[in-house]
Amino acid sequence: MTQHIIDVVAKKLEMGQRLSEADALALFESPELTEIGRLADAENRKKNDDVVFFNVNRHINPTNICALSCKFCAYSRKPGEEGGYAYTIEEMVTKAGEAVAQGATEVHMVGGLHPRWKYDYYRDMIAAVKTAFPQVHIKAFTAVELDWLARRARKSIKETLEDLRSVGLGSLPGGGAEIFHPEIRDAICDTKVSAEQWIDTHRTAHNLGMHSNCTMLYGHIERYEHRVDHMRRLRELQDETHGFNAFIPLAFQPFQNEMGIDRYTFGYDDLKTIAVARLYLDNFKHLKAYWVMLGQDVAQIALNYGANDLDGTVLEEKISRMAGGRSGMAMERGFLESMIRKAGRIPCERDTLYRAIGTPSGEAHGTEKDLAAAQALVTKAEIGRDALEASELAILAATLPIAELSRLALATREATAHAGEGSYAPTVVVSWRPGATPGELVSAVAKEIDEARERFQSAPHGISLDLCVDGDHEAADPSQLIEACFALQHTYPDLELSLWGFKALWRVATAAEVDPSEIFQRLAEAGVDAVESSPRESERDLTTGELFDLHRAAHAAELVTIAKLELDAPENGSGAPFWERFARRAQVLAELAEARGDTGGLLGLAVTVSSGSFVTATEYLRAIAIARLAARGVPLIIAPLAEIPTVSPARGLGTAKTQHPAEKFAALALHHGAADLGSIDCAKLSPLAVPTEIAAAGLKPTVRDVRLARSAPGAAVISALGKIRHVPGPPPPVLT
């Protein structure tokens, strides 16, 4: 059924037919993220080639004092309430001047409905900024604000717009739309203008020759059909007036509001919303990935899923920030351009009306010769008779659109034993210190295990122990480590025990002048089940041959292993990752999986980024796909959640809660070739967030141990899975 809707939509697009509401709803309900993204990316390229726009702008929110009380809003304050503020006109002009000094061509002004500000105050604010900086485009006032101003001025919307335009108003930002459907609008913002009033305000502006943007707030209590209804109304108005510059999906920011929602939107849902909008809103040329609310990482990936605009430098956005927005309040121009280039696109500065400032230059995906070579390699990969060489994989990594690359990787993953699942290993992590007694280590582990079991409501076999042996242990006595492992195995005979630190063990063996094979054999006798590369240490200074020999030595002792596969890139972000080196190492390490038996062998490759390398989210997803294609015989390609490279911070302004920025990547990595999210440290990551992200992407969340034995998540997790919203189709089952 899911492939059927992809085929139907692809055929309609090929024939130039418009998608129906039913088509859009079916796309939302389909779990085929990369297939939908591939179609959306192709449609975007028809309209915009490889160009991605950005602008140098500043958000100035004049006041957060507001007469309304919208349930989803964390920004507004009542007069006299703590945290309220109101800028003077002089302060607004000063802030605009700071923006102009930094090259801004636009000032974006929206805020609360201040009950004590008269209409003339708002009018004078626009006039003062425009008089001081006539070259700046002023984009200001939502339809909600315009309704407020018109009533205070005793004017019609048309008269209000004409008057404000006469003193400098250039266009409308498009906020306040939220969700048009009355079932949702009445529940979250019943004091705002109706959907019909919002649409009529923008129709009036368009008929006056003014342009506007339009938005949709998603990820709260609405359902997919409400999103489609919202976009239908926007598409109809665009057919009528052609006055919208861009469509901007706004990801709901969940904190400090009255709606009782305690989590951010799913990264999977963010990308799908962008992609479906690109396919359904066929009369919109521009679709914005608003990094302020998506986060920089997901916004960058969205440039390969239908978006062609990354917004701008912003500088001082407060509305989403006060609702828990974690993306910061500004991005520098150079960083914006770098993010666009590393997404495989060509950056182009624009003004508010999408007129290019300067000429975009550069090649997003190489020359026509490169593209032709890549397409030939796609055919070779699809046939699957001959493995691709490292140099060929490097061409695919640098050239193919990411959704196409992921399609190849997913086809390879579907042949594995656990297709359709997303596994993870809840663990407690304890460091081993040379000189510590076994009793001290057992006590430390006991405390961590008890806390983890309480959080996960899990049986003992549902949690593994990772004993970290990295660090400067050259002088350590290997017998101490072995005694510690014996003590842990005796105390917790049912606990899976994994050692982190191939490199450290190699150093210990070298310093003690002991063959690593002997140490691995004694560790196996002491109850160790697996040895993994430590996430805390790079292995780049070990040769591939040295790593190969270490893993073979562990396998000879019937230990299973997981290897680290590090992606290198220039530290300053000036160039692409070194794809051929990455693919070659993956292929060499994959040879270790060929000899895997029931008790030993390489079970997985954990894709990480080497220390000092600047790798963005899009490049990391490419690395996941290349690893899957390069190492077909390895059971698991792992995206270790805590090691995924991210730009977005963990905590929003004024919120006590955090979200590890990589949590949005859980489902995305699984949809780009990974099958596992690695060890989830119970002390650092939410025991509910990870499986919820997996389930929201239509995959089965499963707990695994170090030898890949699988079980259902704990009771608390299963309960949480039944409550999540915005899931394609029915909630996915968990493993029983």
Side-chain angles (χ1 to χ4, degrees):
M1 177 63 184
T2 57
Q3 186 58 48
H4 173 70
I5 183 58
I6 300 299
D7 294 339
V8 167
V9 169
K11 187 66 174 178
K12 282 191 172 184
L13 295 173
E14 181 183 345
M15 298 175 65
Q17 296 179 4
R18 172 167 272 191
L19 300 191
S20 67
E21 291 178 71
D23 294 331
L25 183 59
L27 289 173
F28 269 121
E29 293 176 341
S30 167
E32 302 294 336
L33 175 65
T34 54
E35 286 295 305
I36 298 169
R38 192 162 62 94
L39 295 175
D41 188 47
E43 289 303 299
N44 178 42
R45 288 168 185 271
K46 292 177 184 177
K47 292 180 169 70
N48 299 293
D49 296 321
D50 286 314
V51 172
V52 167
F53 287 110
F54 71 94
N55 68 337
V56 181
N57 64 341
R58 175 159 188 170
H59 284 218
I60 307 176
N61 305 123
T63 182
N64 66 344
I65 297 173
C66 187
L68 300 183
S69 298
C70 300
K71 292 181 180 179
F72 67 85
C73 183
Y75 174 68
S76 69
R77 300 291 186 273
K78 298 305 177 187
E81 185 179 352
E82 183 180 356
Y85 74 90
Y87 292 144
T88 65
I89 291 177
E90 290 74 18
E91 287 174 320
M92 295 289 292
V93 172
T94 298
K95 289 179 178 293
E98 293 169 353
V100 171
Q102 297 180 24
T105 61
E106 171 190 292
V107 172
H108 177 120
M109 295 165 51
V110 297
L113 310 182
H114 199 304
R116 297 175 186 169
W117 282 0
K118 299 185 183 299
Y119 168 75
D120 286 346
Y121 190 89
Y122 288 93
R123 185 183 189 276
D124 292 345
M125 183 189 301
I126 297 294
V129 172
K130 191 65 176 179
T131 299
F133 309 105
Q135 74 277 27
V136 170
H137 183 103
I138 300 176
K139 183 175 68 178
F141 304 138
T142 66
V144 180
E145 290 172 280
L146 288 167
D147 173 74
W148 173 261
L149 294 177
R151 286 188 284 115
R152 294 184 76 78
R154 299 182 185 277
K155 298 175 183 288
S156 67
I157 291 292
K158 179 181 179 182
E159 291 169 335
T160 302
L161 284 169
E162 288 175 329
D163 187 40
L164 291 172
R165 184 171 63 167
S166 72
V167 296
L169 179 64
S171 64
L172 309 186
E178 322 313 357
I179 288 289
F180 288 147
H181 197 286
E183 179 183 350
I184 303 301
R185 198 171 190 84
D186 291 347
I188 68 174
C189 56
D190 58 341
T191 57
K192 278 190 173 180
V193 297
S194 67
E196 290 72 25
Q197 287 174 297
W198 190 99
I199 290 170
D200 193 57
T201 295
H202 282 260
R203 176 186 288 113
T204 300
H206 297 171
N207 289 338
L208 290 173
M210 300 178 70
H211 284 76
S212 69
N213 293 328
C214 54
T215 61
M216 178 181 72
L217 184 69
Y218 70 92
H220 42 91
I221 66 171
E222 91 291 350
R223 298 189 299 274
Y224 290 143
E225 57 262 35
H226 297 132
R227 298 186 197 179
V228 176
D229 173 78
H230 187 97
M231 290 191 290
R232 173 188 59 78
R233 302 187 198 208
L234 294 175
R235 189 169 77 169
E236 289 174 353
L237 183 57
Q238 183 75 330
D239 280 341
E240 176 187 338
T241 67
H242 307 288
F244 287 126
N245 287 324
F247 174 62
I248 312 169
L250 301 176
F252 181 68
Q253 308 298 300
F255 298 121
Q256 303 186 93
N257 61 72
E258 300 178 12
M259 295 181 66
I261 298 173
D262 62 358
R263 64 154 299 117
Y264 294 94
T265 55
F266 303 114
Y268 169 92
D269 195 29
D270 294 327
L271 289 189
K272 185 186 283 187
T273 302
I274 292 280
V276 173
R278 172 56 75 189
L279 295 172
Y280 181 73
L281 296 176
D282 52 11
N283 51 3
F284 281 73
K285 184 175 182 181
H286 306 296
L287 200 160
K288 185 179 294 185
Y290 188 44
W291 64 262
V292 173
M293 298 176 85
L294 289 173
Q296 291 92 333
D297 309 297
V298 173
Q300 188 207 38
I301 300 169
L303 302 181
N304 283 270
Y305 278 76
N308 73 303
D309 184 16
L310 203 56
D311 199 81
T313 51
V314 176
L315 195 60
E316 192 186 21
E317 195 279 340
K318 293 184 177 181
I319 296 175
S320 68
R321 182 78 166 155
M322 294 176 74
R326 301 172 300 111
S327 304
M329 298 175 75
M331 274 210 291
E332 295 181 357
R333 175 197 179 110
F335 191 77
L336 271 168
E337 292 179 303
S338 177
M339 292 286 281
I340 293 169
R341 289 194 182 95
K342 289 175 82 64
R345 298 303 161 101
I346 301 169
C348 180
E349 184 181 353
R350 63 165 174 84
D351 66 10
T352 306
L353 302 179
Y354 284 85
R355 295 173 297 207
I357 299 174
T359 303
S361 61
E363 293 177 340
H365 295 281
T367 65
E368 290 187 13
K369 182 179 179 181
D370 293 332
L371 292 171
Q375 195 53 54
L377 294 174
V378 168
T379 303
K380 182 178 178 181
E382 289 174 331
I383 295 173
R385 281 198 288 264
D386 299 315
L388 296 176
E389 297 178 2
S391 59
E392 295 174 323
L393 290 166
I395 293 173
L396 293 181
T399 307
L400 276 190
I402 189 170
E404 177 69 11
L405 183 62
S406 298
R407 182 184 68 82
L408 296 176
L410 288 174
T412 302
R413 195 190 71 180
E414 290 304 308
T416 65
H418 303 289
E421 294 179 8
S423 58
Y424 61 101
T427 67
V428 295
V429 180
V430 178
S431 293
W432 173 69
R433 290 185 298 105
T437 67
E440 290 173 335
L441 182 61
V442 168
S443 295
V445 170
K447 180 178 181 294
E448 297 292 335
I449 289 289
D450 288 344
E451 292 180 358
R453 284 176 176 166
E454 182 178 352
R455 294 185 76 202
F456 274 80
Q457 297 183 17
S458 177
H461 65 269
I463 299 174
S464 301
L465 171 63
D466 287 334
L467 186 61
C468 191
V469 296
D470 55 15
D472 189 16
H473 298 336
E474 282 85 351
D477 182 353
S479 296
Q480 294 180 352
L481 175 61
I482 293 164
E483 289 174 8
C485 292
F486 265 118
L488 289 172
Q489 196 276 336
H490 177 76
T491 308
Y492 298 101
D494 296 325
L495 195 69
E496 297 284 343
L497 176 59
S498 177
L499 291 189
W500 278 4
F502 263 112
K503 187 174 176 179
L505 289 172
W506 175 74
R507 287 201 304 262
V508 168
T510 302
E513 297 182 347
V514 177
D515 191 311
S517 298
E518 180 181 340
I519 293 180
F520 286 127
Q521 185 62 49
R522 293 176 65 189
L523 288 172
E525 293 168 357
V528 173
D529 296 284
V531 183
E532 304 180 39
S533 300
S534 171
R536 304 176 186 178
E537 286 191 311
S538 173
E539 294 177 347
R540 289 302 306 161
D541 54 345
L542 293 178
T543 68
T544 303
E546 288 171 332
L547 275 178
F548 195 92
D549 291 342
L550 280 170
H551 281 270
R552 274 288 173 85
H555 299 165
E558 297 189 346
L559 296 171
V560 296
T561 64
I562 291 176
K564 175 183 286 190
L565 181 59
E566 295 178 76
L567 180 63
D568 296 309
E571 184 174 2
N572 60 8
S574 61
F578 303 114
W579 292 116
E580 187 169 350
R581 182 191 303 173
F582 175 81
R584 184 177 297 113
R585 190 150 185 161
Q587 290 175 328
V588 171
L589 290 173
E591 294 176 14
L592 291 163
E594 295 178 1
R596 189 173 73 88
D598 293 334
T599 57
L602 181 75
L603 298 185
L605 292 179
V607 179
T608 67
V609 175
S610 63
S611 177
S613 294
F614 178 59
V615 173
T616 64
T618 301
E619 292 167 320
Y620 182 78
L621 292 181
R622 288 183 178 277
I624 290 288
I626 291 298
R628 181 69 281 170
L629 291 169
R632 292 172 179 264
V634 176
L636 288 183
I637 298 300
I638 301 170
L641 197 61
E643 299 174 67
I644 293 174
T646 59
V647 174
S648 300
R651 177 174 289 168
L653 179 70
T655 69
K657 297 186 179 181
T658 65
Q659 180 194 45
H660 193 289
E663 285 178 13
K664 275 183 173 274
F665 279 85
L668 302 185
L670 297 173
H671 274 276
H672 289 76
D676 186 84
L677 300 171
S679 297
I680 305 299
D681 187 344
C682 299
K684 294 182 179 179
L685 292 166
S686 165
L688 299 180
V690 175
T692 302
E693 287 278 356
I694 296 170
L699 300 171
K700 298 178 184 178
T702 62
V703 173
R704 64 150 176 95
D705 63 21
V706 296
R707 291 186 180 272
L708 306 193
R710 282 160 158 73
S711 61
V717 174
I718 293 175
S719 175
L721 295 181
K723 300 175 183 177
I724 60 175
R725 301 179 62 83
H726 312 117
V727 179
V734 295
L735 189 68
T736 57

